[in-house]
Amino acid sequence: MKKKIWLLCAALLAGLAAVWIWIGKGREESGEKEKHAIRLGILLYRGDDTFISNVRQALEEQAKAYEQETGIKVVLNIEDAKENQNTQNSQAERMISLGYDALCVNLVDRSMASVMIDKAMVADVPIVFFNREPVEEDLNLWEKLYYVGVSAKESAVLQGEIVVEAYRKNPLSIDLNGDGKVNYVLLEGETSHQDSLIRTEWSVQTLMDGGVPLEKLTGGIANWERSQASAFMEQWLEEFPGQIELVISNNDDMALGAVDAVQRLQITDPIHIVGIDGTPQGISALERGSLLGTVQCDRTEYAEAIITIAAALALGEEPKEKIGLEDKIYYWVGQKAMFCK
């Protein structure tokens, strides 16, 4: 009798185990397998870029916040391509081959995204691009591609409005010599970066639309870099002594490069300098009065959007159910103008 009871219990346990295996298999086949950890690959175009470095720090902070909120462990692997697209392609290929759940990519060359996308599609590894927007045709190659960034036009308009507001309050605060025109120089980012082109166009257009009488003295492509901008500015200060009244910079690092040159040459004449990004370094210069203004991007919101979308994709969920998207694949981070009062 005891033997029969033991056999019956064993049969019941075996049956229960089979049922749980069947349920687990069904969930796995329907994409419902529960995950307790996700692996995200973070690919940076250049790790020592000030803005990207700040975003990287925010990504690490947001990954920890996501873990605490959901109980799902987030493993980040962050790679620096050092401005080499071939290097970045190799980094992406390795992560894809290792079965990463999603990639978050800050492209070196926005026109070369298709190589990475093709490999990701074959392996079914979603990609969240950020900061450097791939061309539209590439973003439309697959339904598991997303982009997080700031509106370059909005950045430029806000930057221009900082100067317009100051000019309207007191024209002579911008037109320093009172000759009826504002002599300016322009520091531009990379020619291949979409934000550089748009920021240049709309900052100047906003100033013109706002009634600021402009005259361009010169400009240069400083590739977002402080040292290159400083070299340009030093050259221009010597070429146009006492003539530069306004410096329009596509980002804070180049704006700070202009500040460096002014201080190095011990220029005492007031020169107004405006940047974009609202980096901690830029805001510090703003508080010291070295910058007239900057446009701050919310880096916490930036990182939270990237992690939220990537985690949803990694878990087989719909990102649009987790965060507001424009045209189903875009998330635009909020910005605000900051100026010296």
Side-chain angles (χ1 to χ4, degrees):
M1 186 68 180
K2 289 182 178 179
K3 185 176 182 180
K4 287 183 179 180
I5 293 173
W6 184 89
L7 289 171
L8 180 61
C9 290
L12 286 171
L13 288 171
L16 286 171
V19 169
W20 281 112
I21 290 172
W22 178 80
I23 291 173
K25 184 177 180 182
R27 285 181 174 176
E28 185 173 352
E29 289 175 350
S30 64
E32 297 177 5
K33 184 178 179 181
E34 187 176 357
K35 283 190 175 184
H36 299 286
I38 56 176
R39 290 195 300 168
L40 306 179
I42 312 294
L43 302 176
L44 308 178
Y45 99 98
R46 200 183 88 203
D48 62 356
D49 177 283
T50 302
F51 178 75
I52 295 302
S53 175
N54 289 328
V55 170
R56 170 183 177 157
Q57 182 182 349
L59 284 170
E60 293 171 333
E61 293 168 356
Q62 287 303 309
K64 291 177 182 177
Y66 182 88
E67 284 183 353
Q68 293 173 353
E69 181 182 343
T70 65
I72 298 172
K73 183 175 178 59
V74 181
V75 179
L76 297 183
N77 182 7
I78 303 176
E79 297 282 357
D80 181 356
K82 300 185 186 299
E83 298 187 272
N84 188 310
Q85 188 60 61
N86 289 331
T87 297
Q88 191 171 73
N89 288 342
S90 297
Q91 291 167 345
E93 186 173 359
R94 178 176 175 275
M95 290 179 179
I96 291 170
S97 69
L98 291 173
Y100 276 67
D101 296 297
L103 301 183
C104 306
V105 181
N106 167 221
L107 286 164
V108 175
D109 186 342
R110 64 184 294 260
S111 67
M112 298 296 289
S114 61
V115 175
M116 194 180 299
I117 292 171
D118 289 342
K119 294 184 184 300
M121 288 173 63
V122 172
D124 195 29
V125 177
I127 302 179
V128 182
F129 293 101
F130 66 95
N131 181 251
R132 293 174 175 233
E133 182 183 352
V135 295
E136 187 175 358
E137 306 90 89
D138 287 343
L139 273 177
N140 290 331
L141 287 173
W142 190 30
E143 69 274 10
K144 294 184 180 181
L145 304 175
Y146 292 80
Y147 178 72
V148 174
V150 296
S151 165
K153 179 179 177 180
E154 181 185 19
S155 302
V157 169
L158 287 170
Q159 182 187 54
E161 287 177 349
I162 292 170
V163 180
V164 169
E165 183 175 345
Y167 183 81
R168 286 177 176 171
K169 285 182 177 179
N170 179 10
L172 292 179
S173 69
I174 303 298
D175 177 13
L176 300 172
N177 60 12
D179 65 353
K181 60 186 179 182
V182 176
N183 295 322
Y184 77 98
V185 296
L186 183 64
L187 288 165
E188 299 183 68
E190 296 171 52
T191 54
S192 61
H193 197 300
Q194 78 282 358
D195 284 9
S196 176
L197 304 173
I198 297 171
R199 288 177 183 181
T200 294
E201 175 185 358
W202 282 99
S203 60
V204 173
Q205 187 63 50
T206 300
L207 287 167
M208 294 172 62
D209 292 344
V212 180
L214 294 176
E215 181 162 318
K216 182 178 179 180
L217 295 177
T218 188
I221 298 169
N223 297 303
W224 310 116
E225 292 191 14
R226 184 168 181 164
S227 60
Q228 291 189 34
S230 181
F232 272 126
M233 189 64 182
E234 184 169 338
Q235 175 187 330
W236 298 338
L237 287 168
E238 293 174 348
E239 185 177 351
F240 303 101
Q243 298 179 56
I244 300 174
E245 297 170 307
L246 175 65
V247 179
I248 302 172
S249 174
N250 284 171
N251 79 338
D252 280 357
D253 263 13
M254 295 188 296
L256 293 173
V259 171
D260 293 340
V262 170
Q263 293 177 345
R264 187 165 55 249
L265 294 181
Q266 299 181 341
I267 303 296
T268 56
D269 296 333
I271 298 175
H272 294 305
I273 304 171
V274 287
I276 290 176
D277 283 342
T279 62
Q281 297 86 339
I283 293 172
S284 178
L286 180 66
E287 291 170 348
R288 295 194 306 270
S290 300
L291 294 185
L292 173 65
T294 183
V295 178
Q296 186 178 43
C297 159
D298 188 334
R299 73 185 187 102
T300 299
E301 180 188 352
Y302 207 124
E304 184 178 8
I306 295 169
I307 294 295
T308 299
I309 296 171
L313 292 166
L315 296 169
E317 300 170 344
E318 278 288 344
K320 65 182 179 182
E321 296 177 1
K322 305 291 182 180
I323 194 168
L325 297 172
E326 187 174 313
D327 296 329
K328 299 180 181 179
I329 63 172
Y330 295 97
Y331 184 90
W332 301 109
V333 182
Q335 303 179 85
K336 64 179 179 180
M338 304 184 71
F339 48 91
C340 185
K341 297 181 181 180

